[in-house]
């Protein structure tokens, strides 16, 4: 018997995707509205499913209804259902407006081969409130979305998808070095300031750059860092032909890679997927790059890293950038701001109240300089499930 899953389309696409993966129907019916179709929500769901290996684009029907009209919904369902009355139906009541949910319930409630489900998102579970004679126990949802899946669900395109494996490989290869740099940050900070000032303008412009510059009174840790990168030394002058990857690393990438490795070590436990250096484009054509992204429990998390003292951002306006970018990611998006800047902290070492309040407003956890080494633990505490 053919199994059809009926989905109500709304702003949040994830519950539709979870239900379809959970029940693996033969065909889909989307009940949508003009506004949701203008925003391509049905298309986003189908493209996400195709990327996950469940391509329903040739096995889907869609009706577009007036969202506050039960009569219009029932009339269009009457036209669609001809010849399919005896199919198995699963009705996902999670999306849409309240009127759409009532309309779908009222239309299908007397069908013999019927199951109605509701996903209390953001929980990864569903209940079966109808038919009433069935047990309405809570059932877990097994599927877990990867970063690419989550982004596709909201119509976001990964611009540099082919480069992500290389970026992850480089970060993992430098894991011990980036961790050592975080541990010895204060001792190598003057060298990082000098290198950052000299190299930052070449970060995204050159495949390589011949660096030459003076290093006065280098600490033992600074000498070790220079040795790690095989700088040539002539008195107090050091030089090296630096690759773009090395330039990126020395101008702040070390902190991004440290954070990536901390979350990557949790993949398969409380984290489902993690990427670094991801560039995405929204439907308006706007590009943005994110230091680190990861998924956990079908929620998306972003990590913004700010190294050195951030003299040009003493008010931590980076939090406003985080908030603006979160709008593309749906309800279950949270962020971390990892900063070595002293301007984040009060003299007693606590995050400044104004910054802490703004971070809470923007669903962001601030990790300040003294806590960076414990970033992995902070992530686990925030998730609360590790």
């Amino acid at each position: 018997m053919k199994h059809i899953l009926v989905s109500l389309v709304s702003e949040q696409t994830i519950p539709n995707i979870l239900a379809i993966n959970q029940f693996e129907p033969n065909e889909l019916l989307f009940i949508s509205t003009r506004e949701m179709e203008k925003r391509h929500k049905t298309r986003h769901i189908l493209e996400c499913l195709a990327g996950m290996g469940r391509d329903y684009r040739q096995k889907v029907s869609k009706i577009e209804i007036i969202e506050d009209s039960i009569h219009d919904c029932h009339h269009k369902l009457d036209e669609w259902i001809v010849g399919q009355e005896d199919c198995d139906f699963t009705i996902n009541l999670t999306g849409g407006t309240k009127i759409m949910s009532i309309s779908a319930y009222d239309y299908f409630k007397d069908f013999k081969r019927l199951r109605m489900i509701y996903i209390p998102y953001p929980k990864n579970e569903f209940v079966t409130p109808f038919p009433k004679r069935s047990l309405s126990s809570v059932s877990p949802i097994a599927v877990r979305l990867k970063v690419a899946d989550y982004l596709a669900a909201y119509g976001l395109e990964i611009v540099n998808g082919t480069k992500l494996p290389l970026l992850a490989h480089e970060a993992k290869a430098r894991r011990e070095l980036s961790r050592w740099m975080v541990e010895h940050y204060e001792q190598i900070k003057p060298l990082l300031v000098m290198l950052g000032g000299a190299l930052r303008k070449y970060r995204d412009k050159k495949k390589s750059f011949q660096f030459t510059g003076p290093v006065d009174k280098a600490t033992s840790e600074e000498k070790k860092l220079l040795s790690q990168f095989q700088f040539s030394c002539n008195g107090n002058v050091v030089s090296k032909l630096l690759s773009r990857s090395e330039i990126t690393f020395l101008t702040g990438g070390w902190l991004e890679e440290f954070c990536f490795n901390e979350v990557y070590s949790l993949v398969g436990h409380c984290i489902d997927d993690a990427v670094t250096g991801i560039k995405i484009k929204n439907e308006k054509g706007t590009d943005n790059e994110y230091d680190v992204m990861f998924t956990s429990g079908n929620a998306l998390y972003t990590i913004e890293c700010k190294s050195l003292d951030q003299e040009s951002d003493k008010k931590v306006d980076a939090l406003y950038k985080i908030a603006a970018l979160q709008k593309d990611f749906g309800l279950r998006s949270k962020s971390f701001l990892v900063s070595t800047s002293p301007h984040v902290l009060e003299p007693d070492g606590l995050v400044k109240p104004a910054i802490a309040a703004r971070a809470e407003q923007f669903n962001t956890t601030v990790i300040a300089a003294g806590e960076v080494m414990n970033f992995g633990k902070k992530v686990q505490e925030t998730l609360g499930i590790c």
Side-chain angles (χ1 to χ4, degrees), residues 32-187:
S32 190
T33 64
R34 178 179 298 180
E35 178 62 25
M36 290 302 105
E37 293 313 296
K38 281 174 59 179
R39 299 170 71 176
H40 311 300
K41 292 297 181 178
T42 300
R43 190 184 76 192
H44 296 163
I45 294 168
L46 291 169
E47 289 178 350
C48 176
L49 290 166
M52 299 173 72
R54 299 191 184 280
D55 193 346
Y56 281 95
R57 286 174 290 192
Q58 302 303 318
K59 297 178 288 185
V60 62
S61 300
K62 179 179 66 179
I63 61 173
E64 189 176 306
I65 67 167
I66 300 170
E67 64 185 50
D68 57 356
S69 172
I70 293 176
H71 173 76
D72 187 61
C73 181
H74 285 193
H75 172 68
K76 288 174 179 173
L77 281 170
D78 280 337
E79 292 179 339
W80 168 80
I81 206 166
V82 174
Q84 305 186 100
E85 295 88 341
D86 293 330
C87 292
D88 287 329
F89 288 99
T90 296
I91 317 299
N92 182 2
L93 298 173
T94 312
T97 64
K98 288 184 173 65
I99 292 294
M100 289 169 69
S101 294
I102 293 169
S103 299
Y105 163 76
D106 188 53
Y107 188 86
F108 286 100
K109 67 180 188 301
D110 295 323
F111 278 56
K112 294 180 180 180
R113 309 177 68 88
L114 174 71
R115 166 176 50 199
M116 293 191 185
I117 64 112
Y118 178 81
I119 299 174
Y121 193 65
K123 296 179 180 179
N124 291 301
E125 58 192 34
F126 70 92
V127 294
T128 309
F130 306 106
K132 295 177 182 178
R133 64 179 180 276
S134 66
L135 294 175
S136 59
S137 59
V138 175
S139 302
I141 289 176
V143 68
R144 292 294 180 267
L145 302 177
K146 294 185 178 297
V147 170
D149 303 329
Y150 192 102
L151 296 177
Y154 288 97
L156 299 164
E157 176 189 353
I158 300 176
V159 177
N160 64 336
T162 58
K163 295 182 179 180
L164 294 181
L166 174 61
L167 294 173
H169 174 77
E170 290 177 340
K172 287 182 277 188
R174 291 191 286 235
R175 177 179 180 177
E176 294 305 319
L177 177 58
S178 60
R179 186 172 186 83
W180 178 87
M181 291 175 70
V182 172
E183 284 183 305
H184 298 88
Y185 171 69
E186 290 299 331
Q187 292 77 34

